[in-house]
Amino acid sequence: MSSQDIPEENLPAEQDHAHGAVGIADEENPFADPGLPPHEHRIQDIDERAARRSERMVALLFTVSMLATIGFIVAYLVIPNDKSIFVFPIGHLSAMNFALGLTLGVALFCIGAGAVHWARTLMSDVEVADDRHPIEASAEVRAKVHADFRQGAKESAIGRRKLIRTTMFGALALVPLSGVMLLGGLGPAPGTKLRHTMWAKGKRLVNMNTNQPLRPEDVAVGSLTFAKPDGLEETDEEFQTEIAKAALMIVRLQPGNIKDKRELDWSHEGIVAFSKICTHVGCPISLYEQQTHHVLCPCHQSTFDLSDGARVIFGPAGHALPQLRIGVDSEGYLQALGDFEEPVGPAFWERG
């Protein structure tokens, strides 16, 4: 149905929105203003039943958005992290990620689709031309903006279309809950996990390359050896997490070259064990200078003196490398005599 099929007296009244008189092109003015085209009324402007159908459609979209947001929250709380599903033709996917993406996408799409459908079918579609004016916040401009806002609110029928208004507010209020729920995906609070490693009294030092326990005679003077705690295997699910805290570098020095008293007390026959994790941003340290007993982080060139408590002598690192107190067990293998006394790696907000 178009406006041509409706008696003229039933059509909504229109204001004259033409921007000036229609001009005629001539030699002096080849680009005359053609004026605005005749306005065509939509079926919703003519038939209140059609307007109500559009209103119900918009409300349905907003309601679906609310249900999808609730589905997002339920999926986040109910679906296990390790559950997977097969989705053709993509393949196997995380069930939780698929559900979260689908429900959040539907929630956002329905809000957008509802707003677009509302604007295209129920809000005023009359073209309005306005003269350009200086960019200034004069009293007249402010008054006009307020008047236009009130007119737009009136034409949107948000006060009269209570069903749309209620469902829209509901959808907009629920969608932010998706972001709140995602905060839980950051994982549990670390608590004291960052303060402790797998090292404990009696844990043997195992060579990272040979996967064999180390004896004092296996470590030559001037050599650099990397070690891990006994019992930590690369096939373990938590290997990367644990080795990031427990990785150890072992250097054998002449006892007379050790300047720091505590370092000497915590060593065994000149063998010292320090954390391999740089205290700047956590890079693994692997460059050792035998003559100076310095180790260098390859990421940002932080340099530590292993003969003087692994203190920082250059670079952005904020504090010395933590030392592990070591000794030998009854079978002659190197073992830890406890855990590090301070957190390894970069400083963090709980560090004390």
Side-chain angles (χ1 to χ4, degrees), residues 142-178:
R142 290 196 296 270
K144 184 178 184 303
V145 169
H146 294 161
D148 291 345
F149 179 81
R150 289 191 294 269
Q151 180 65 22
K154 180 180 179 181
E155 292 177 351
S156 70
I158 191 171
R160 186 163 60 93
R161 308 287 180 183
K162 296 182 179 180
L163 183 59
I164 288 181
R165 181 182 61 195
T166 303
T167 53
M168 179 190 70
F169 287 158
L172 292 177
L174 283 178
V175 159
L177 292 179
S178 303

Side-chain angles (χ1 to χ4, degrees), residues 112-314:
V116 170
H117 192 66
W118 182 8
R120 291 180 64 86
T121 60
L122 295 175
M123 294 185 184
S124 174
D125 68 336
V126 177
E127 295 185 35
V128 178
D130 199 1
D131 295 331
R132 293 187 178 184
H133 54 80
I135 302 177
E136 56 183 353
S138 64
E140 293 79 7
V141 169
R142 290 196 296 270
K144 184 178 184 303
V145 169
H146 294 161
D148 291 345
F149 179 81
R150 289 191 294 269
Q151 180 65 22
K154 180 180 179 181
E155 292 177 351
S156 70
I158 191 171
R160 186 163 60 93
R161 308 287 180 183
K162 296 182 179 180
L163 183 59
I164 288 181
R165 181 182 61 195
T166 303
T167 53
M168 179 190 70
F169 287 158
L172 292 177
L174 283 178
V175 159
L177 292 179
S178 303
V180 174
M181 295 302 298
L182 288 176
L183 294 177
L186 297 177
T192 61
K193 292 180 180 178
L194 300 179
R195 298 183 181 274
H196 305 289
T197 70
M198 283 189 64
W199 291 112
K201 187 175 182 179
K203 280 275 185 182
R204 287 180 175 176
L205 279 61
V206 176
N207 190 309
M208 287 285 293
N209 295 323
T210 65
N211 208 34
Q212 296 296 320
L214 286 166
R215 294 178 178 272
E217 55 267 27
D218 296 332
V219 185
V221 175
S223 66
L224 176 66
T225 305
F226 299 123
K228 64 179 181 178
D230 186 22
L232 180 61
E233 303 295 337
E234 293 188 12
T235 55
D236 295 343
E237 183 177 353
E238 296 296 322
F239 175 78
Q240 296 297 338
T241 300
E242 295 300 333
I243 199 64
K245 298 184 294 180
L248 203 66
M249 59 180 174
I250 303 170
V251 175
R252 188 163 198 162
L253 307 174
Q254 294 290 351
N257 291 333
I258 300 178
K259 306 171 187 176
D260 185 78
K261 184 179 183 302
R262 192 183 79 161
E263 178 182 352
L264 182 61
D265 293 340
W266 284 19
S267 67
H268 176 75
E269 299 178 356
I271 300 175
V272 294
F274 288 96
S275 170
K276 184 184 176 181
I277 309 304
C278 181
T279 57
H280 177 219
V281 292
C283 296
I285 299 173
S286 58
L287 304 176
Y288 176 58
E289 192 175 44
Q290 186 182 52
Q291 299 300 320
T292 61
H293 314 303
H294 295 168
V295 288
L296 176 71
C297 176
C299 292
H300 304 98
Q301 288 70 58
S302 292
T303 307
F304 306 86
D305 186 355
L306 296 189
S307 67
D308 192 11
R311 66 181 180 88
V312 182
I313 59 175
F314 179 80

Side-chain angles (χ1 to χ4, degrees), residues 21-32:
V22 177
I24 300 176
D26 53 28
E27 294 182 357
E28 296 182 358
N29 187 16
F31 303 104

Side-chain angles (χ1 to χ4, degrees), residues 61-75:
L61 289 169
F62 289 155
T63 302
V64 171
S65 174
M66 289 189 284
L67 294 176
T69 301
I70 295 173
F72 178 96
I73 298 173
V74 171

